[in-house]
Amino acid sequence: MPQLSNRVKTFTDSVIRRMTRISDEYNAINLSQGFPDFDPPKEILDKLAEVAYKGPHQYSVTFGADNLREALARKQSKAINRQIDSQKEIVVTCGGTEAMMCTMMTICNPGDKVLVFSPFYENYGADAILSGAEPIYIPLVPPDYHFDINLVEKGFKDGAKAIIICNPSNPCGKVFTREELEAIGRLVLKYDVYAVTDEVYEHLVYEPYKHTYMSSLPDMYEHTITCNSLSKTFSITGWRLGYIIAPEEVIDGAKKVHDFLTVGAAAPLQEAAVIGLNFPETYYDGLKKLYTEKRDYFLAGLDRIGLEHNIPQGTYFVLLDIQQFLNLPQFSGYTDLMFCEWMIKEIGVAAVPGSSFFKEDVNNFIRLHFAREKSTLDKALARLEKLKL
Ligand code: GLN
Protein backbone atom coordinates (compact mmCIF):
# COMPACT_ATOMS: atom_id res chain seq x y z
CA MET A 1 0.00 0.00 0.00
CA PRO A 2 1.33 3.48 -0.77
CA GLN A 3 1.90 5.49 2.38
CA LEU A 4 -0.63 8.02 3.63
CA SER A 5 0.46 11.55 4.51
CA ASN A 6 2.50 12.12 7.65
CA ARG A 7 -0.18 14.61 8.62
CA VAL A 8 -2.89 12.01 9.22
CA LYS A 9 -0.54 9.92 11.34
CA THR A 10 -0.19 12.69 13.90
CA PHE A 11 -3.73 12.85 15.24
CA THR A 12 -6.58 10.48 16.01
CA ASP A 13 -10.26 10.79 15.23
CA SER A 14 -12.22 12.93 17.68
CA VAL A 15 -12.67 11.17 21.03
CA ILE A 16 -15.86 13.21 21.58
CA ARG A 17 -17.45 11.88 18.44
CA ARG A 18 -16.02 8.38 19.01
CA MET A 19 -17.81 8.25 22.38
CA THR A 20 -21.10 8.95 20.58
CA ARG A 21 -20.49 5.96 18.31
CA ILE A 22 -19.69 3.67 21.25
CA SER A 23 -22.68 5.04 23.15
CA ASP A 24 -24.97 4.22 20.21
CA GLU A 25 -23.49 0.75 19.95
CA TYR A 26 -24.43 -0.01 23.58
CA ASN A 27 -27.65 1.96 23.55
CA ALA A 28 -26.44 4.18 26.39
CA ILE A 29 -27.79 7.63 27.26
CA ASN A 30 -25.41 9.84 25.36
CA LEU A 31 -24.15 12.72 27.48
CA SER A 32 -20.81 12.78 25.65
CA GLN A 33 -20.89 14.77 22.39
CA GLY A 34 -22.77 17.98 23.16
CA PHE A 35 -26.01 18.36 21.23
CA PRO A 36 -29.64 18.74 22.31
CA ASP A 37 -32.20 15.94 22.13
CA PHE A 38 -35.00 18.48 21.70
CA ASP A 39 -36.27 20.20 18.56
CA PRO A 40 -35.21 23.57 17.16
CA PRO A 41 -37.78 26.41 17.48
CA LYS A 42 -41.00 25.67 15.55
CA GLU A 43 -40.70 28.82 13.42
CA ILE A 44 -37.40 27.56 12.04
CA LEU A 45 -38.87 24.13 11.28
CA ASP A 46 -41.90 25.69 9.57
CA LYS A 47 -39.58 27.76 7.40
CA LEU A 48 -37.54 24.67 6.58
CA ALA A 49 -40.72 22.89 5.45
CA GLU A 50 -41.59 25.86 3.25
CA VAL A 51 -38.08 26.01 1.83
CA ALA A 52 -38.33 22.32 0.93
CA TYR A 53 -40.76 23.28 -1.84
CA LYS A 54 -39.79 26.86 -2.58
CA GLY A 55 -36.02 26.43 -2.50
CA PRO A 56 -33.27 27.47 -2.70
CA HIS A 57 -31.83 24.07 -3.52
CA GLN A 58 -28.81 25.13 -5.49
CA TYR A 59 -25.59 26.72 -4.26
CA SER A 60 -25.97 29.88 -2.29
CA VAL A 61 -23.39 32.62 -2.70
CA THR A 62 -20.15 30.89 -1.72
CA PHE A 63 -19.52 33.25 1.19
CA GLY A 64 -23.02 32.82 2.60
CA ALA A 65 -26.50 33.77 1.39
CA ASP A 66 -26.87 37.55 1.41
CA ASN A 67 -29.87 37.51 3.73
CA LEU A 68 -28.11 35.23 6.22
CA ARG A 69 -25.01 37.41 6.28
CA GLU A 70 -27.18 40.50 6.69
CA ALA A 71 -29.02 38.90 9.61
CA LEU A 72 -25.73 37.87 11.22
CA ALA A 73 -24.33 41.36 10.74
CA ARG A 74 -27.43 42.89 12.34
CA LYS A 75 -27.25 40.63 15.38
CA GLN A 76 -23.52 40.98 15.95
CA SER A 77 -23.40 44.73 15.22
CA LYS A 78 -25.88 45.19 18.03
CA ALA A 79 -23.95 42.87 20.34
CA ILE A 80 -20.62 44.67 19.92
CA ASN A 81 -21.97 48.13 19.18
CA ARG A 82 -20.16 48.48 15.87
CA GLN A 83 -21.47 48.38 12.32
CA ILE A 84 -20.34 45.14 10.68
CA ASP A 85 -20.30 45.00 6.87
CA SER A 86 -22.18 41.84 5.90
CA GLN A 87 -20.42 41.56 2.52
CA LYS A 88 -16.90 42.34 3.61
CA GLU A 89 -16.59 41.18 7.20
CA ILE A 90 -18.48 37.87 7.37
CA VAL A 91 -18.10 34.47 5.80
CA VAL A 92 -20.59 31.67 6.46
CA THR A 93 -18.99 28.25 6.99
CA CYS A 94 -20.01 24.62 7.45
CA GLY A 95 -20.28 24.79 11.22
CA GLY A 96 -18.04 26.36 13.83
CA THR A 97 -15.62 23.56 12.98
CA GLU A 98 -14.94 24.93 9.50
CA ALA A 99 -14.90 28.48 10.87
CA MET A 100 -12.01 27.57 13.15
CA MET A 101 -10.15 25.44 10.58
CA CYS A 102 -10.59 28.11 7.93
CA THR A 103 -9.31 30.78 10.34
CA MET A 104 -6.20 28.78 11.15
CA MET A 105 -5.48 28.12 7.46
CA THR A 106 -5.98 31.83 6.80
CA ILE A 107 -3.59 33.19 9.43
CA CYS A 108 -0.98 30.46 9.97
CA ASN A 109 2.10 29.52 8.04
CA PRO A 110 3.69 26.15 8.78
CA GLY A 111 5.68 26.52 11.99
CA ASP A 112 3.74 29.49 13.36
CA LYS A 113 3.01 29.26 17.06
CA VAL A 114 -0.50 29.65 18.42
CA LEU A 115 -1.46 29.91 22.10
CA VAL A 116 -4.22 27.57 23.26
CA PHE A 117 -5.69 27.36 26.76
CA SER A 118 -5.76 23.86 28.22
CA PRO A 119 -8.21 22.16 28.78
CA PHE A 120 -9.27 22.91 25.23
CA TYR A 121 -11.89 21.76 22.75
CA GLU A 122 -10.12 18.94 20.99
CA ASN A 123 -10.63 20.29 17.44
CA TYR A 124 -8.02 23.00 18.09
CA GLY A 125 -5.27 20.37 18.28
CA ALA A 126 -6.20 18.95 14.87
CA ASP A 127 -6.75 22.46 13.47
CA ALA A 128 -3.19 23.32 14.43
CA ILE A 129 -1.78 20.17 12.85
CA LEU A 130 -3.75 20.59 9.63
CA SER A 131 -2.73 24.23 9.28
CA GLY A 132 0.89 23.50 10.22
CA ALA A 133 0.77 25.63 13.36
CA GLU A 134 2.44 24.68 16.61
CA PRO A 135 0.14 24.96 19.63
CA ILE A 136 1.65 26.34 22.83
CA TYR A 137 -0.60 25.40 25.73
CA ILE A 138 -1.41 27.67 28.64
CA PRO A 139 -2.99 25.92 31.63
CA LEU A 140 -6.40 26.89 32.90
CA VAL A 141 -5.90 25.68 36.44
CA PRO A 142 -8.74 23.80 38.21
CA PRO A 143 -10.82 24.19 40.26
CA ASP A 144 -11.49 27.80 39.17
CA TYR A 145 -9.69 27.54 35.81
CA HIS A 146 -7.63 30.69 36.26
CA PHE A 147 -4.55 31.36 34.14
CA ASP A 148 -1.26 33.15 34.47
CA ILE A 149 -1.23 36.19 32.18
CA ASN A 150 2.58 36.13 32.30
CA LEU A 151 2.50 32.85 30.37
CA VAL A 152 0.40 34.54 27.71
CA GLU A 153 2.97 37.33 27.47
CA LYS A 154 5.80 34.81 27.34
CA GLY A 155 4.03 32.99 24.50
CA PHE A 156 3.75 36.18 22.47
CA LYS A 157 7.34 37.16 23.30
CA ASP A 158 8.39 33.76 21.97
CA GLY A 159 6.71 34.60 18.70
CA ALA A 160 3.13 33.24 18.92
CA LYS A 161 1.02 34.76 16.21
CA ALA A 162 -2.39 34.26 17.78
CA ILE A 163 -4.27 33.08 20.83
CA ILE A 164 -7.37 30.89 20.68
CA ILE A 165 -9.97 31.73 23.32
CA CYS A 166 -13.00 29.49 23.70
CA ASN A 167 -15.41 31.69 25.62
CA PRO A 168 -17.57 30.37 27.26
CA SER A 169 -15.10 27.57 27.50
CA ASN A 170 -15.60 23.96 26.48
CA PRO A 171 -15.11 21.73 28.51
CA CYS A 172 -14.60 23.62 31.80
CA GLY A 173 -17.53 26.05 31.55
CA LYS A 174 -15.34 29.07 32.30
CA VAL A 175 -16.69 32.46 31.25
CA PHE A 176 -13.73 34.79 30.81
CA THR A 177 -14.23 38.01 32.74
CA ARG A 178 -13.99 41.36 31.03
CA GLU A 179 -10.80 42.02 33.03
CA GLU A 180 -9.23 38.77 31.82
CA LEU A 181 -10.12 39.57 28.21
CA GLU A 182 -8.83 43.13 28.60
CA ALA A 183 -5.53 41.80 29.93
CA ILE A 184 -5.22 39.38 27.00
CA GLY A 185 -6.34 42.15 24.63
CA ARG A 186 -3.61 44.51 25.86
CA LEU A 187 -1.02 41.87 25.00
CA VAL A 188 -2.63 41.14 21.63
CA LEU A 189 -2.28 44.84 20.79
CA LYS A 190 1.21 45.14 22.26
CA TYR A 191 2.55 42.21 20.22
CA ASP A 192 0.36 42.95 17.20
CA VAL A 193 -1.14 39.45 16.98
CA TYR A 194 -4.62 37.95 16.59
CA ALA A 195 -7.20 36.90 19.15
CA VAL A 196 -9.21 34.02 17.67
CA THR A 197 -12.38 33.47 19.63
CA ASP A 198 -14.74 30.51 19.59
CA GLU A 199 -18.02 31.88 20.95
CA VAL A 200 -20.47 29.13 20.07
CA TYR A 201 -21.82 29.10 23.65
CA GLU A 202 -22.24 32.90 23.79
CA HIS A 203 -25.89 32.60 24.86
CA LEU A 204 -25.38 29.81 27.39
CA VAL A 205 -24.01 31.95 30.22
CA TYR A 206 -25.44 31.63 33.73
CA GLU A 207 -26.10 34.41 36.23
CA PRO A 208 -24.21 36.29 37.56
CA TYR A 209 -21.71 35.75 34.73
CA LYS A 210 -21.82 37.82 31.55
CA HIS A 211 -20.45 37.17 28.10
CA THR A 212 -17.97 39.75 26.87
CA TYR A 213 -17.18 39.85 23.18
CA MET A 214 -13.45 40.25 22.67
CA SER A 215 -14.17 42.18 19.46
CA SER A 216 -16.16 44.76 21.45
CA LEU A 217 -13.19 45.85 23.59
CA PRO A 218 -11.47 49.10 22.60
CA ASP A 219 -9.22 48.68 19.52
CA MET A 220 -9.77 44.92 19.54
CA TYR A 221 -12.06 44.58 16.53
CA GLU A 222 -9.11 44.92 14.15
CA HIS A 223 -7.27 42.16 16.00
CA THR A 224 -10.09 39.70 16.64
CA ILE A 225 -11.31 36.84 14.49
CA THR A 226 -14.65 35.66 15.87
CA CYS A 227 -15.68 32.10 15.09
CA ASN A 228 -19.23 31.15 15.86
CA SER A 229 -22.08 28.86 14.92
CA LEU A 230 -25.85 28.65 15.03
CA SER A 231 -25.72 25.06 16.34
CA LYS A 232 -26.16 25.70 20.02
CA THR A 233 -28.18 28.90 19.82
CA PHE A 234 -30.95 27.33 17.73
CA SER A 235 -30.48 23.63 18.57
CA ILE A 236 -29.44 22.80 15.01
CA THR A 237 -26.05 21.11 15.43
CA GLY A 238 -26.71 18.86 12.43
CA TRP A 239 -27.28 21.80 10.10
CA ARG A 240 -23.61 22.71 10.20
CA LEU A 241 -24.00 26.48 9.99
CA GLY A 242 -21.10 28.52 11.28
CA TYR A 243 -19.49 31.86 10.52
CA ILE A 244 -16.43 34.00 10.89
CA ILE A 245 -16.58 37.72 11.61
CA ALA A 246 -13.35 39.67 11.24
CA PRO A 247 -11.84 42.73 9.55
CA GLU A 248 -12.09 42.77 5.76
CA GLU A 249 -8.49 41.80 5.11
CA VAL A 250 -8.83 38.61 7.19
CA ILE A 251 -12.20 37.74 5.67
CA ASP A 252 -10.74 38.19 2.16
CA GLY A 253 -8.29 35.39 2.98
CA ALA A 254 -10.87 33.26 4.77
CA LYS A 255 -13.26 33.53 1.82
CA LYS A 256 -10.65 31.97 -0.46
CA VAL A 257 -9.90 29.11 1.94
CA HIS A 258 -13.60 28.47 2.50
CA ASP A 259 -14.34 28.59 -1.23
CA PHE A 260 -11.97 25.70 -1.93
CA LEU A 261 -12.62 23.73 1.25
CA THR A 262 -16.41 23.46 1.06
CA VAL A 263 -17.77 25.96 -1.54
CA GLY A 264 -20.60 26.79 0.81
CA ALA A 265 -22.96 25.79 3.59
CA ALA A 266 -26.29 24.11 2.71
CA ALA A 267 -28.46 26.69 0.93
CA PRO A 268 -31.92 25.58 2.19
CA LEU A 269 -30.68 25.48 5.76
CA GLN A 270 -29.17 28.95 5.50
CA GLU A 271 -32.53 30.24 4.29
CA ALA A 272 -34.42 28.64 7.20
CA ALA A 273 -31.90 29.81 9.80
CA VAL A 274 -32.48 33.48 8.95
CA ILE A 275 -35.82 33.23 10.76
CA GLY A 276 -34.01 32.40 14.00
CA LEU A 277 -31.61 35.32 13.70
CA ASN A 278 -34.59 37.66 13.46
CA PHE A 279 -36.11 36.42 16.73
CA PRO A 280 -36.53 39.13 19.37
CA GLU A 281 -34.17 39.42 22.32
CA THR A 282 -36.64 37.44 24.46
CA TYR A 283 -35.65 34.29 22.57
CA TYR A 284 -32.16 34.46 24.04
CA ASP A 285 -33.55 35.14 27.52
CA GLY A 286 -35.69 32.03 27.15
CA LEU A 287 -32.72 29.95 26.01
CA LYS A 288 -30.70 31.09 29.00
CA LYS A 289 -33.56 30.29 31.36
CA LEU A 290 -34.04 26.85 29.81
CA TYR A 291 -30.37 25.94 30.19
CA THR A 292 -30.11 27.46 33.66
CA GLU A 293 -32.93 25.16 34.76
CA LYS A 294 -31.26 22.16 33.13
CA ARG A 295 -27.93 22.98 34.71
CA ASP A 296 -29.39 23.44 38.18
CA TYR A 297 -31.52 20.32 37.89
CA PHE A 298 -28.69 18.12 36.66
CA LEU A 299 -26.13 19.42 39.14
CA ALA A 300 -28.58 18.92 42.03
CA GLY A 301 -28.99 15.32 40.84
CA LEU A 302 -25.21 14.82 40.77
CA ASP A 303 -25.01 16.27 44.29
CA ARG A 304 -27.65 13.85 45.57
CA ILE A 305 -25.60 10.96 44.24
CA GLY A 306 -22.44 12.45 45.74
CA LEU A 307 -20.54 12.94 42.49
CA GLU A 308 -17.97 15.71 42.65
CA HIS A 309 -18.21 18.28 39.88
CA ASN A 310 -17.43 21.85 38.88
CA ILE A 311 -20.15 24.47 38.54
CA PRO A 312 -20.13 25.64 34.93
CA GLN A 313 -20.47 29.42 34.49
CA GLY A 314 -21.43 28.84 30.87
CA THR A 315 -21.82 26.10 28.19
CA TYR A 316 -23.82 22.92 28.82
CA PHE A 317 -20.90 20.85 30.06
CA VAL A 318 -19.96 19.70 33.54
CA LEU A 319 -16.69 18.06 34.57
CA LEU A 320 -16.96 15.24 37.09
CA ASP A 321 -13.99 14.38 39.26
CA ILE A 322 -13.72 10.58 39.17
CA GLN A 323 -10.65 10.29 41.40
CA GLN A 324 -12.73 8.66 44.17
CA PHE A 325 -13.53 5.81 41.75
CA LEU A 326 -10.05 5.50 40.29
CA ASN A 327 -8.78 4.94 43.85
CA LEU A 328 -10.91 1.78 44.19
CA PRO A 329 -9.20 -1.58 43.65
CA GLN A 330 -11.57 -2.59 40.83
CA PHE A 331 -10.47 0.42 38.80
CA SER A 332 -6.78 0.04 39.49
CA GLY A 333 -4.81 0.90 36.35
CA TYR A 334 -7.87 2.48 34.70
CA THR A 335 -7.47 5.53 32.52
CA ASP A 336 -10.34 8.00 32.23
CA LEU A 337 -11.05 6.56 28.76
CA MET A 338 -11.34 3.05 30.23
CA PHE A 339 -13.62 4.43 32.91
CA CYS A 340 -15.86 6.03 30.24
CA GLU A 341 -16.00 2.78 28.30
CA TRP A 342 -16.90 0.91 31.49
CA MET A 343 -19.55 3.51 32.27
CA ILE A 344 -21.18 3.12 28.84
CA LYS A 345 -21.35 -0.66 29.20
CA GLU A 346 -22.15 -1.03 32.90
CA ILE A 347 -23.96 2.19 33.86
CA GLY A 348 -25.48 3.03 30.49
CA VAL A 349 -24.37 6.66 30.37
CA ALA A 350 -21.77 8.04 27.94
CA ALA A 351 -19.23 10.72 28.91
CA VAL A 352 -16.06 12.09 27.33
CA PRO A 353 -12.72 11.37 29.06
CA GLY A 354 -11.16 14.60 30.34
CA SER A 355 -7.73 13.64 28.99
CA SER A 356 -8.94 14.42 25.48
CA PHE A 357 -9.18 18.08 26.56
CA PHE A 358 -6.16 18.50 28.83
CA LYS A 359 -2.64 18.85 27.48
CA GLU A 360 -1.36 18.23 31.01
CA ASP A 361 -1.30 14.70 32.36
CA VAL A 362 -4.77 14.89 33.90
CA ASN A 363 -6.72 11.67 34.12
CA ASN A 364 -9.35 12.24 36.79
CA PHE A 365 -12.10 14.12 34.95
CA ILE A 366 -14.94 13.08 32.69
CA ARG A 367 -17.24 15.49 30.84
CA LEU A 368 -21.02 15.16 30.75
CA HIS A 369 -23.49 17.52 29.11
CA PHE A 370 -27.02 18.44 30.09
CA ALA A 371 -28.54 19.57 26.75
CA ARG A 372 -31.25 16.98 27.27
CA GLU A 373 -34.98 16.83 27.98
CA LYS A 374 -35.72 16.64 31.69
CA SER A 375 -36.97 13.07 31.23
CA THR A 376 -33.61 12.09 29.67
CA LEU A 377 -31.72 13.78 32.51
CA ASP A 378 -33.91 11.86 34.99
CA LYS A 379 -33.09 8.56 33.29
CA ALA A 380 -29.40 9.40 33.19
CA LEU A 381 -29.38 10.38 36.88
CA ALA A 382 -31.21 7.15 37.81
CA ARG A 383 -28.48 5.20 36.03
CA LEU A 384 -25.67 7.29 37.55
CA GLU A 385 -27.16 6.43 40.94
CA LYS A 386 -25.48 3.06 40.50
CA LEU A 387 -22.15 4.87 40.90
CA LYS A 388 -23.07 5.75 44.48
CA LEU A 389 -20.26 4.59 46.75
N1 GLN B 1 -18.85 21.05 20.75
C1 GLN B 1 -19.48 19.79 20.98
C2 GLN B 1 -18.76 19.01 22.04
O1 GLN B 1 -17.73 19.40 22.50
C3 GLN B 1 -19.55 18.93 19.76
C4 GLN B 1 -19.10 19.56 18.52
C5 GLN B 1 -18.84 18.57 17.45
O2 GLN B 1 -18.78 17.37 17.69
N2 GLN B 1 -18.70 19.11 16.29
O3 GLN B 1 -19.23 17.96 22.40
Side-chain angles (χ1 to χ4, degrees), residues 233-251:
T233 304
F234 299 112
S235 309
I236 48 173
T237 62
W239 288 27
R240 315 305 305 124
L241 291 179
Y243 53 99
I244 308 171
I245 298 184
E248 182 176 357
E249 207 175 301
V250 176
I251 292 296

Side-chain angles (χ1 to χ4, degrees), residues 119-156:
F120 59 100
Y121 175 47
E122 60 175 4
N123 277 38
Y124 307 155
D127 291 341
I129 289 167
L130 289 171
S131 63
E134 183 197 339
I136 308 290
Y137 294 97
I138 298 185
L140 289 175
V141 187
D144 61 350
Y145 296 98
H146 67 274
F147 63 95
D148 181 352
I149 191 74
N150 295 318
L151 293 179
V152 177
E153 174 135 35
K154 181 175 182 315
F156 288 141

Side-chain angles (χ1 to χ4, degrees), residues 19-36:
M19 295 321 286
T20 283
R21 293 194 294 274
I22 304 176
S23 176
D24 290 349
E25 196 181 321
Y26 288 92
N27 218 0
I29 298 174
N30 186 6
L31 304 186
S32 62
Q33 184 183 18
F35 60 89

Side-chain angles (χ1 to χ4, degrees), residues 44 49 55 60 77 93 97 100 108 113 127 172 178 214-215 227 247 251 259 283 289 308 317 345 376:
I44 296 183
S60 69
S77 297
T93 57
T97 298
M100 190 53 80
C108 291
K113 296 186 179 94
D127 291 341
C172 66
R178 171 174 276 270
M214 181 60 114
S215 60
C227 296
I251 292 296
D259 195 0
Y283 172 75
K289 186 164 173 283
E308 279 178 43
F317 301 113
K345 292 175 198 164
T376 318

Side-chain angles (χ1 to χ4, degrees), residues 14 16-17 20 31-35 96-97 121-123 170-171 198 200-201 231-232 237 240 316-317 352 357 367 369:
S14 148
I16 296 177
R17 296 181 276 279
T20 283
L31 304 186
S32 62
Q33 184 183 18
F35 60 89
T97 298
Y121 175 47
E122 60 175 4
N123 277 38
N170 179 5
D198 175 349
V200 306
Y201 302 98
S231 290
K232 276 73 184 184
T237 62
R240 315 305 305 124
Y316 45 46
F317 301 113
V352 183
F357 303 103
R367 191 196 76 176
H369 80 86

Side-chain angles (χ1 to χ4, degrees), residues 100-282:
M100 190 53 80
M101 186 71 244
C102 186
T103 296
M104 293 289 281
M105 306 262 292
T106 301
I107 62 172
C108 291
N109 288 313
D112 280 350
K113 296 186 179 94
V114 171
L115 306 183
V116 178
F117 287 110
S118 165
F120 59 100
Y121 175 47
E122 60 175 4
N123 277 38
Y124 307 155
D127 291 341
I129 289 167
L130 289 171
S131 63
E134 183 197 339
I136 308 290
Y137 294 97
I138 298 185
L140 289 175
V141 187
D144 61 350
Y145 296 98
H146 67 274
F147 63 95
D148 181 352
I149 191 74
N150 295 318
L151 293 179
V152 177
E153 174 135 35
K154 181 175 182 315
F156 288 141
K157 247 191 211 149
D158 291 347
K161 185 168 192 180
I163 181 166
I164 298 178
I165 306 155
C166 184
N167 182 33
S169 196
N170 179 5
C172 66
K174 175 186 176 70
V175 173
F176 284 76
T177 63
R178 171 174 276 270
E179 292 69 30
E180 285 173 328
L181 293 175
E182 281 171 348
I184 297 170
R186 276 194 292 276
L187 295 176
V188 164
L189 295 174
K190 176 171 169 189
Y191 290 92
D192 194 20
V193 292
Y194 288 115
V196 176
T197 65
D198 175 349
E199 301 185 58
V200 306
Y201 302 98
E202 65 180 314
H203 294 294
L204 306 188
V205 173
Y206 308 112
E207 291 295 338
Y209 303 96
K210 297 271 175 264
H211 182 70
T212 305
Y213 294 90
M214 181 60 114
S215 60
S216 73
L217 299 181
D219 302 323
M220 281 306 291
Y221 186 82
E222 297 303 322
H223 283 261
T224 304
I225 305 172
T226 303
C227 296
N228 211 329
S229 135
L230 302 181
S231 290
K232 276 73 184 184
T233 304
F234 299 112
S235 309
I236 48 173
T237 62
W239 288 27
R240 315 305 305 124
L241 291 179
Y243 53 99
I244 308 171
I245 298 184
E248 182 176 357
E249 207 175 301
V250 176
I251 292 296
D252 275 348
K255 279 176 171 170
K256 289 192 280 184
V257 175
H258 162 75
D259 195 0
F260 289 104
L261 269 182
T262 60
V263 178
L269 302 181
Q270 292 188 54
E271 186 65 27
V274 171
I275 294 288
L277 288 164
N278 289 333
F279 285 160
E281 210 53 40
T282 47

